[in-house]
Amino acid sequence: MSASSDHLQDAIDLALRQIGQSCDSYHAHLKTREIGIVTSVSTGIATVVGLPGLGFEELVKFADGSLGIPFNVDEDEIGVVLLGNYWNIKTGEQVERTGRIMDVVAGNQLLGRVINPLGEPLDGREAISSTDRRPIERPAPSIMDRAPVAVPLQTGLKVVDALIPLGKGQRELIIGDRQTGKTAIAIDTILNQKDKNVVCIYCAIGQRASAVAKAIAVFKEKGAMDYTVVVVAEGSDTPGLTYIAPYAATSMAEFFMDAGRDVLIVYDDLTQHARAYRELSLLLRRPPGREAFPGDIFYIHSRLLERSTHLSKERGGGSLTALPIIETEAQDISAYIPTNLISITDGQIYLSPVLFELGLLPAVDVAKSVSRVGGAAQYPSYRSIAGDLKLAFAQFEELENFAKFGARLDEKTKQIVEHGQRIRFCLKQPEFQPVSVPAQIMVLLALTERLFDDIPIEKMKLAEQSVEEAAKKISTEIRARFTTANKISSDDRSLMLNLAKQSLSKYKATANVAEKKNE
């Protein structure tokens, strides 16, 4: 018994000594926490008092776990923009600092996912786990870190690739009235990046849930979700979530750009973004300016779009191409927000409601559309073929207006009008059916060589399809030269012309028979 008692006593003494050592080595560290109080809550914003050390745009956390971003940091109170639902936030509740600014998840795990601007999944799948997080607001690359925009980004749309070419790192505005096909052009461009090693980000800002669901269905049907990330701020979401959506999507895109990859981002659309910011600003009692937009509305878009660029080789050579979409009212491109974005971007694709109503889709108004990068971001094969196409089309549109008044036209003018009608027809294209580079070049070559001029208009659709089918017979060696050679050689040109003539011969024969019957 005594031995057992001694053993127990030793164990107790050892335990007490360890406890004593732990107590001696423990030093209490005081950690300060700033706690504020919610004084008022309204649509999308809250007013908070306290938090004297709070920084601008530092995240704050409410009692229900929701987050907010301080926008107005005044001496007596703080105006906080709420992210997510604010139904459970009540006056008198506590608010605390988080010590970090708003950031978002980034990484390859995003590909194929549908998420909100906070990085939360909307596709019913598991949460995205990534240790790489990036702040939604980042400074744009400096001038010395940028490279010229010189590599083409093919949209698959003949009217854009031939007449308004885009380059990797460019910012091209898509502008037009409601329901004129703006989103369709952006979706077609995303679909055309399949197998081209381009990551695509589709950012839906304040859109109807049904419209976003339709776009996602098209991506899935065409196999585009494998290289696409969809960031969604629905029309029913808070204005704060709508406001941060494009910045969050851009930070996700910059992850891939910094890794040396080419990225395409679509902002659909920045009209809703500007309206969300106006709503927040007016609720926070900031002074309204022109058209009730706050004075810094230009800055929120310029600092967003300046992040799109082509990085130099020293920075990895990645690129971020932006296609912002903006809505006009009654074709008024001189309104405040459209003119702001026209001045920020490197050109615009203008969609005309008149052309849309006539069924000329995509309804691109070539006269009002421009790419300020121009031929520098176009394959030389396009330049050698479609160089005079825009001028010929512009002449046709001018003469067409005279022809509508029943004016008598001489033979040369008739030829210009008939040639222009064929150009217009060949620039038409169905939705979600991008055309490959060889097929585009074949059609454009047939146009410039006036091979379509003898084809009746009612046969043009079949004739064009026949030329596109003939393009599949072009050898792989020649196809490679379309994107690498300085220009199309005379031999390659002759070969393609022979293929085009063979494919069109049966339609020309039909035309001659029709002429003989009329005689």
Side-chain angles (χ1 to χ4, degrees):
M1 278 301 281
S2 59
S4 173
S5 300
D6 292 341
H7 182 70
L8 180 60
Q9 185 64 41
D10 292 342
I12 294 172
D13 291 342
L14 178 61
L16 291 173
R17 279 197 303 272
Q18 289 176 343
I19 293 172
Q21 290 172 0
S22 298
C23 291
D24 293 338
S25 62
Y26 174 75
H27 298 286
H29 295 283
L30 295 177
K31 184 179 179 181
T32 59
R33 290 175 59 207
E34 289 188 18
I35 302 295
I37 302 297
V38 178
T39 58
S40 67
V41 183
S42 58
T43 307
I45 66 164
T47 305
V48 176
V49 295
L51 306 178
L54 184 70
F56 181 64
E57 292 194 349
E58 176 188 346
L59 280 177
V60 295
K61 189 174 183 180
F62 293 87
D64 66 343
S66 59
L67 300 174
I69 302 177
F71 259 37
N72 284 6
V73 184
D74 300 328
E75 185 176 355
D76 300 325
E77 62 182 19
I78 299 162
V80 178
V81 171
L82 303 174
L83 306 177
N85 293 328
Y86 52 90
W87 323 119
N88 296 325
I89 299 175
K90 300 179 178 60
T91 57
E93 288 185 344
Q94 291 186 347
V95 190
E96 63 176 295
R97 295 174 57 186
T98 61
R100 61 186 180 92
I101 60 174
M102 180 63 202
D103 58 11
V104 70
V105 67
N108 290 313
Q109 300 93 326
L110 293 171
L111 294 176
R113 300 301 302 272
V114 181
I115 58 175
N116 69 7
L118 300 177
E120 299 167 346
L122 299 177
D123 50 10
R125 294 164 59 186
E126 73 282 354
I128 298 169
S129 59
S130 176
T131 55
D132 196 339
R133 299 188 68 88
R134 298 196 169 207
I136 63 170
E137 295 270 15
R138 300 181 70 205
S142 64
I143 293 174
M144 299 308 295
D145 289 334
R146 298 173 184 246
V149 176
V151 181
L153 181 95
Q154 294 295 115
T155 64
L157 298 168
K158 289 169 287 188
V159 65
V160 177
D161 292 338
L163 306 181
I164 320 158
L166 303 184
K168 292 179 179 178
Q170 187 174 346
R171 301 155 302 178
E172 184 79 0
L173 182 66
I174 301 175
I175 184 171
D177 283 11
R178 292 189 65 187
Q179 300 298 316
T180 51
K182 301 186 295 297
T183 300
I185 285 185
I187 292 177
D188 274 328
T189 307
I190 291 175
L191 297 181
N192 196 53
Q193 306 316 308
K194 189 174 184 179
D195 301 325
K196 292 183 174 60
N197 196 28
V198 177
V199 175
C200 299
I201 313 281
Y202 178 72
C203 180
I205 309 168
Q207 299 297 308
R208 302 188 313 275
S210 58
V212 178
K214 180 182 176 182
I216 294 171
V218 172
F219 293 149
K220 289 180 178 178
E221 180 187 350
K222 302 293 184 179
M225 284 302 291
D226 295 339
Y227 55 88
T228 302
V229 184
V230 180
V231 183
V232 182
E234 296 179 19
S236 58
D237 287 336
T238 59
L241 211 57
T242 304
Y243 167 70
I244 69 168
Y247 300 103
T250 306
S251 291
M252 297 174 193
E254 285 174 336
F255 168 84
F256 299 101
M257 179 180 70
D258 292 340
R261 300 188 66 176
D262 296 316
V263 189
L264 168 68
I265 186 166
V266 174
Y267 304 109
D268 188 11
D269 66 45
L270 291 185
T271 307
Q272 301 296 336
H273 184 242
R275 289 171 181 166
Y277 187 70
R278 173 171 64 182
E279 181 181 351
L280 293 172
S281 297
L282 294 178
L283 287 169
L284 291 169
R285 300 188 180 278
R286 294 184 179 183
R290 178 178 164 186
E291 298 179 24
F293 286 104
D296 60 341
I297 192 73
F298 179 89
Y299 178 57
I300 73 166
H301 287 152
S302 62
R303 76 173 187 260
L304 170 69
L305 293 170
E306 283 296 330
R307 293 164 69 177
S308 300
T309 186
H310 185 197
L311 293 177
S312 62
K313 291 182 179 178
E314 292 76 15
R315 285 285 305 274
S319 68
L320 177 55
T321 308
L323 290 180
I325 296 174
I326 199 74
E327 179 188 303
T328 56
E329 295 179 354
Q331 307 177 54
D332 183 14
I333 60 174
S334 64
Y336 189 26
I337 302 303
T339 49
N340 278 355
L341 284 158
I342 288 171
S343 65
I344 295 168
T345 51
D346 305 315
Q348 67 272 353
I349 299 172
Y350 178 74
L351 298 177
S352 166
V354 176
L355 296 177
F356 186 86
E357 290 165 5
L358 292 173
L360 302 174
L361 304 177
V364 176
D365 189 328
V366 177
K368 292 182 180 178
S369 302
V370 64
S371 172
R372 297 192 185 107
V373 174
Q378 190 178 36
Y379 289 126
S381 53
Y382 276 90
R383 290 201 298 273
S384 61
I385 291 175
D388 299 329
L389 203 61
K390 193 168 186 177
L391 178 61
F393 192 60
Q395 289 178 331
F396 154 69
E397 289 185 319
E398 288 291 328
L399 292 172
E400 187 183 36
N401 292 329
F402 288 104
K404 287 178 181 176
F405 293 107
R408 296 183 64 181
L409 305 177
D410 58 74
E411 192 61 32
K412 185 177 180 181
T413 305
K414 285 182 180 178
Q415 290 177 359
I416 293 174
V417 171
E418 289 178 359
H419 181 57
Q421 289 173 341
R422 271 73 181 173
I423 295 175
R424 172 184 281 170
F425 194 96
C426 286
L427 294 180
K428 289 171 62 176
Q429 194 169 325
E431 273 187 0
F432 314 141
Q433 295 181 23
V435 180
S436 65
V437 171
Q440 286 194 38
I441 288 177
M442 279 282 285
V443 171
L444 294 172
L445 181 60
L447 266 179
T448 53
E449 295 294 331
R450 296 180 177 268
L451 300 184
F452 286 113
D453 287 9
D454 296 332
I455 308 293
I457 286 290
E458 62 270 15
K459 299 284 187 181
M460 275 296 297
K461 184 176 181 179
L462 294 174
E464 185 186 0
Q465 290 174 350
S466 180
V467 172
E468 291 180 3
E469 284 295 320
K472 296 178 181 178
K473 300 177 182 177
I474 300 173
S475 67
T476 307
E477 184 182 354
I478 296 177
R479 286 167 177 261
R481 288 200 286 269
F482 288 159
T483 58
T484 56
N486 291 329
K487 63 178 182 179
I488 294 179
S489 66
S490 57
D491 292 341
D492 293 346
R493 194 182 187 99
S494 299
L495 177 74
M496 289 190 294
L497 281 174
N498 288 333
L499 286 173
K501 288 175 181 177
Q502 291 173 13
S503 64
L504 293 175
S505 59
K506 54 184 176 181
Y507 301 104
K508 290 184 178 180
T510 305
N512 293 334
V513 170
E515 289 174 1
K516 289 178 181 178
K517 284 183 178 179
N518 291 332
E519 291 174 358

